[in-house]
Amino acid sequence: MTEKQRKQNAEPVISVIMPAYQEAAYMEQAIVSVINQTCTQTWELLIIDDGSTDRTPEVARTYAKDPRIRYIRRKKTGAWLRRAIWESNGHMGTMWRFWMRTTGGMRTN
């Protein structure tokens, strides 16, 4: 296992939480902005889909092949925040949580 693979599989220190509902038009740019970060800490991206009927699931699943990205699909309930916190709490080492809109993106650090 290479050093890069080991870091990607390590327990994340940073959780980026991206709620998504009908966001297919913006998701790819937002996801790529997270991937392109030069942060040396381990991170995870949680995409919480609240029942989208557009191409959101297809776009999210494409990127969820990366082990640092998890796609969670829910029925339309509006309770994505509780689910996101619960999912990121599954990693006891998570120290930071960031909320991100798909229309925002992240500037590379």
Side-chain angles (χ1 to χ4, degrees):
M1 179 180 288
T2 68
E3 180 66 15
K4 183 177 180 180
Q5 289 171 323
R6 188 189 64 73
K7 283 185 176 181
Q8 286 179 344
N9 292 332
E11 195 168 273
V13 174
I14 299 168
S15 290
V16 179
I17 299 169
M18 180 187 300
Y21 178 71
Q22 310 291 69
E23 301 285 353
Y26 308 102
M27 283 189 69
E28 186 165 10
Q29 181 179 354
I31 293 168
V32 169
S33 76
V34 175
I35 293 170
N36 287 340
Q37 294 300 306
T38 58
C39 175
T40 59
Q41 301 293 326
T42 56
W43 57 268
E44 68 178 344
L45 171 60
L46 303 176
I47 303 168
I48 312 291
D49 180 1
D50 202 20
S52 296
T53 58
D54 65 353
R55 291 184 54 248
T56 295
E58 178 184 335
V59 174
R61 285 186 185 112
T62 297
Y63 285 95
K65 294 173 185 171
D66 182 320
R68 301 169 295 178
I69 300 174
R70 288 193 291 151
Y71 172 60
I72 300 156
R73 183 167 170 81
R74 302 176 40 86
K75 293 181 179 178
K76 179 85 171 119
T77 63
W80 65 267
L81 179 59
R82 181 177 58 212
R83 178 64 186 256
I85 291 170
W86 182 81
E87 287 286 341
S88 65
N89 278 339
H91 301 285
M92 297 308 290
T94 300
M95 295 178 63
W96 300 95
R97 290 185 186 90
F98 296 94
W99 314 104
M100 177 184 173
R101 293 188 58 131
T102 56
T103 55
M106 295 179 119
R107 286 188 267 167
T108 305
N109 57 350

